[in-house]
Every structure is written in C-alpha cells, then in structure tokens.
Amino acid sequence: MKKISKILLIFLLSIIVLVVAFKRATRISPPQVVNNFELNEQKIEVSNNLYTFQDSWLKKNKYGLWEMYASGAPFELGYKHGILTDSLSAYQELQFVNSIKEMIPSESYLKFLKHFLGWFNRKLDKYILPEYQQEIYGISQFTTSEFDFIGDKYPRILNYHAAHDIGHALENMNLVECTAFMTKEARSEDGKMLIGRNMDFSVGDGFAENKIVAFYKPEKGNKFAFITWAGFVGSVSGMNDKGLVVTINAANSSIPMSAKTPVSILAREVLQYASNIEDAYEIIKNRDVFVAELFLIGSVSDNKTVIIEKSLEKSAVYDAESDTLIVTNHYQSEELKSTELNKESFVDGSSPYRMSRVAQLLQKNEKHSPTTFAEILRDQLGLDDKNIGMGNEKAVNQLIAHHSVIFKPEELKMWVSAGPFQLGKYLCYDLNLVFNDSLDINSNIFIESETIDEDEFLFSDDYSNFIEFKKETERLKNILKSDNLEQITDIDLDRYISLNPNFFYTYYIVGECYRLKGELNKADENFEKALTLEIARNSEKELIESKKNLLKKK
C-alpha cells in the first residue's frame, strides 16, 4: 500500500512539475515601456461616430468605413489605437472567436488547440520587433476581459497577429485566396502605375463589418496608410508617403513547427521603413517567417512593381519586366516556381485559374483606370466569361473579401471598398490631404468626386439569392451534423438549388443530404451534376468522386 501511495505521489508531483514547466515555457511577458505622455486622459465623443484622443481620431463615414489617424512612439501609437477602438476591438474579438468555434465546434478540441497554440507560439515575441511589441501592448490596455479564459490580454493580442499565418498554413482550411495585379505606362490611361487587390481572408462576414482605413504617423520611419481592423497593427494592404505599396498574398506552405515573424508584421515593417524595392527586399530577406508568402511591392522611385517571394528557406524577386503584373497564390520566380509545394498548388488549387482570368480581363481594355480595375476586382465569372456560380474560389470576386483596394502610388491615392465585400462604393483617399495639418476631420476624409459607384450586382435578385444561399448552406450543414434529416424536404433542396444553380458546391450539399437520407439515386444525380461544373480544387473533385463511389458500394 505504501509503495502504491509513493508511486501515486511521484505521479502527481510529475504532473505538477510538467504543468508548471509548460506555463513557464509558454509565458509571454509584456515588453518594457517608457511612457512620455499622459495616461489619465479619456477619449472625447465629438459627435455620433467621431472620437478624438489628443491629436488622434476615429470616425465612421456615411458609407460605413471607419477611418483612424494615430501618431507617436510605439506604445503611444498602440495606446491611441486601443482607446479609440475599444468597443470595436471587443466586437472584433467576439466575431473571431465565434468563427473559430463554428469551424471547430468541439470544446475539448478547442481546449487542446489553446494549449497547442500556446506551445507553438511560445517564442513568438522573440521574432517581433520591440517597437511592435510595445504597440500591441498599448492596444492590450483596452482589450476586453471577456476572453481572458483564452489567455492574458497582451499575449492573446500578440498571438492573434499570427492568425493569418496559421490559417493559410493549415491544409484544407482555404482561408486565404487573394488576387492582385498592376498596370502602368502604355496599359494605364494616364501612364501612371495602378495596383488593385482583393484581400480574401475569410473568418466570417462579421469579422469584416468594421474594417478601418488607418493613417499612421509614427515617431520613426514613413507615414503610411493601411486597411486593418481594431486591435491589429500588422498590414495586409497599405501604402506609405514615399509611394511604396505593399500587399501580401499567401503561397502554398508546409505545416510550420513553431511561430516566427508573422507576415503581416513584416509587411508593416516594410511600409514603415522602406522607400524602394531594394529596401523592401533587405527587410524581407532578413526576417524568419513560418509560412510562405508573396509580397507585392509597388515603388514610385523604381517605377515598377515586383513580387518578393519568400519561402521558409529563401527569398526571391519576380519581375515580369512588363507594364502588367499579376499575382495570385503561387510562385513565379525561377528560384521557387519548381518547388514541390508550388507544383502542388498548380495541381490542386484555384491560383493558376484566377491568374489566367485576370489576364483575360486586363486584355478587355487597352488602357486601364481605377474604374476598370474595380470592374476586374468585382468579376465573378470564370474563364471565357463562363458562369461558375456565386462564391466560387476560382473567381476573382469570391464574395468573401475582407476588403478590396486600388492604389495609385504616384499620386498617393487609394480607393478602398465599402462593404459588403467589394460591392459597395470605392472611396478615394489622398495621403497628401490626410496627413496635412489643416485637415478638417468634421468633413469627409475621402474625396467624394472620385468615388467609384457600387456594383449593380448589389441591388440584384442574384445578390439576395446569394445571401439566402449562404444562410441555407449553414442551416443544411448543421442539420447534417445533427442527423435530424427529416427537417430537409425535396422542396427545401429544390429551392436551395435555385439560389445558386451554377455552383458545384450547391449540388455537393444536396447530394450529401440525399445520401444521408438514404435516397441514393438522387444523391448520385447531384454528385454527377457537381462533377460537370467548375470545381474550385482538385481535392474537392476527388471528395465528390469518393462520395459517388460509396454509393456504388451500397
């Protein structure tokens, strides 16, 4: 008995030691901060949807876009960001957490994932520059306590900055599928460089409701603008006052072993400290990342746009040496295009298809303007104008965009889409005007006369059908999980098909409904119909074929 008690005691002590060791290993301490400004002030509500704090401000324009200006040293920048966006940040985190719960409904697996990410990201702060740690720490002063069960505020917000990287590294998540392109000289109406980009990072529509067009004047480096969300200091799309544009597109990546520099933080560093392509390349090549990425860099001083391609092992520059350039989600440089992961992206993914579609659309106009760029960014058709269904990953416009933006760097102008997706108006911002000390924040920050109108699709029956299709898809998927199949009728499924009849996924869902209801002939008919349509990924085609084969065995 004493021997058993001794073994049990040793076992319990071992568990305690392991828990303590795990917590120590995964603890991320706040950075050291020197404050040079008053912390006791409160933000001022000047009017409805307009707030100020010292020289910084946040306002919501009449088209639903939030606009924010912040200045100062790193902690000061973050503190101003945090105090101005505290309610937005709480809502943003709620939407993010809810989206994760929808993707991973198992509470036990979520707990495992929390501890796994704690271990995975245990050295994350070592790869983030101290100034960005201080900025994030400033934001964390106003982070909601509602999600403290996930982690302490500062390490929690720090970890969220790696969400983009983790999302596109995990196989079959398909959260990040972006498209960007450039024209200049003979291919642009006035000869000036234009860059367009869809940011297709999807973690639910709610996450994109409160996007922010942010204008930063940091203590060191360039002034710059970027499209972001509350609580996020990284950049996925932005332009600085030197006329340097940075956007990021995911590339096919292996599963990482540990966190390193988040690519959005790296893009932010480029915006803040690079004035040309050489500067950008030096910054990017000297940082370790844990996922592969494509950095589109447009530079006024170089009069060109290139793609800096970064794998886990090397960096390469792709220069099309042309007045057009297109980037989707695969490597094009000689150094990296033959890698195995890149070959896999050609076989399975939608990236080459979307690139070909953008090339077709660029050829439809001899010369381009911001308006023609908006038309391309909104295009939902497939190659040769084929109807491939609403929401297809092969389309330039997949109806999932967090934001869409058009840059004209020589004039320091950018057009940012109001929601939903890229269907609302594109509003024009001039960095020269926004960073002018005489700016009147009580008036429009954007240039009304250069607004690009909404997409007519937004007011169509098809758009209404698409919104209903999304809701019905979620309802049917939830029923399939719960096995309450008697709730699904033939009338429901016929109506569902009518909402999005050219989309392969429509028939896959209907086929699954009939398969689980035991109506195998109808299931087979719908799987067969899906296989005749434009399927986004080869892996999805193989899944549908496997479902058909299961029916044959039955």
Side-chain angles (χ1 to χ4, degrees), residues 123-129 259-262 265 287-288:
K123 296 181 180 179
L124 181 61
D125 57 331
K126 305 296 189 296
Y127 292 93
I128 295 179
L129 292 178
K260 293 186 180 178
T261 308
I265 294 290
R287 295 281 179 258
D288 292 325

Side-chain angles (χ1 to χ4, degrees), residues 164 167-180 197-203 236 247-253 292-294 327-330 341 344-346 348-355 358 377 379 391-404 422 536-540:
H164 169 91
H168 90 64
L170 294 177
E171 293 177 334
N172 302 319
M173 292 288 279
N174 305 335
L175 297 181
V176 188
E177 293 292 339
C178 304
T179 303
R197 115 44 139 258
N198 283 339
M199 175 55 186
D200 293 315
F201 175 60
S202 179
V203 284
V236 292
T247 75
I248 59 177
N249 286 37
N252 207 5
S253 189
E293 198 72 20
L294 308 169
V327 57
T328 47
N329 299 102
H330 61 269
L341 283 170
E344 287 176 17
S345 72
F346 268 80
D348 184 47
S350 64
S351 183
Y353 187 100
R354 272 183 289 115
M355 180 173 283
V358 173
L377 291 165
D379 184 74
N392 196 315
E393 193 181 303
K394 283 186 171 178
V396 177
N397 176 10
Q398 303 163 38
L399 293 171
I400 62 169
H402 177 273
H403 63 262
S404 182
Q422 56 273 74
R537 289 175 174 266
N538 192 54
S539 54
E540 290 172 316

